[in-house]
Amino acid sequence: AHDFNNWLTVILGSAEELMDALEAQPELRDIAHMIQLAGERGAELTRRLLAFGRRQPLTPQIFAVGETIASIRPLIARSLPENIELQLLDMGHRWCVYADRAQLEAAIVNLCLNARDAMPEGGKLIIQLLLVEIEERNNELNKPLPAGEYVVIAVADNGHGIAHDVMDHVFEPFFTTKDEASGSGLGLSMVYGFVKQSSGDVTIYSEPGRGTQVKLYLPRAHSEPEARPAPPAGTGARPPGG
């Protein structure tokens, strides 16, 4: 996958130069633009495969999970229709983890989008923060985790649920019950790969017609994150794009 990414870099760079050189030839410029778009989709696919294979480069840091989830609430809310109620519970706790913050945010948003798709007629989406202490064995987990404290992010909906014959395949890459235009089948496998790479685990419980709950287990980090300094007043600085 990394070698493939190197070739994609050459393709994307060449396509960009062609687009600049073909400014006066719109038909050829459109072809160069198609090459660029295909290369970008290939790069995104490679990133997802690396996430599933637990080989994606991560930038771990210690941060408070509740604060992080609360900060992306506006993003989640904007992605939900008006007939879905969003609730965040127990986000005030200062429980910390050592993980890649951006990847955790992406994982939570991914789970919320799945929940949205499971509630076409509307419903309730609840994200709750829990702290659990795992002993030597825990039958709920895919494999027993080392004993210790874990911060658990539970994402639950009351949508149409997952059929029993599908449950064994939900974390498999490219497995999807949606049409090709709606998803690649890599969403849950990316979440699974990221959490496993962060020394955690993922569980999923669902009943057809009664909804789904996904839990992300991440080892608790026993340190407080450094306080981020507030920007000076009156600087007029704009938030970065992206």
Side-chain angles (χ1 to χ4, degrees), residues 28 31 42 62 82 88 104 125 136 147-148 153 170 177 182 212 237:
L28 292 178
I31 295 174
I62 294 176
E82 294 182 356
L88 268 57
L104 179 61
L125 172 60
E136 291 185 2
I153 306 159
V170 292
T177 58
S182 300
T212 301

Side-chain angles (χ1 to χ4, degrees), residues 76-95:
I76 297 171
R78 283 196 298 270
S79 67
L80 301 176
E82 294 182 356
N83 60 358
I84 294 180
E85 177 187 352
L86 174 64
Q87 289 187 4
L88 268 57
L89 303 180
D90 305 318
M91 296 297 153
H93 296 291
R94 297 289 298 173
W95 300 325

Side-chain angles (χ1 to χ4, degrees), residues 218-239:
L218 292 171
R220 183 183 184 184
H222 291 277
S223 298
E224 286 287 313
E226 294 184 6
R228 287 176 289 180
T235 59
R238 295 186 298 173

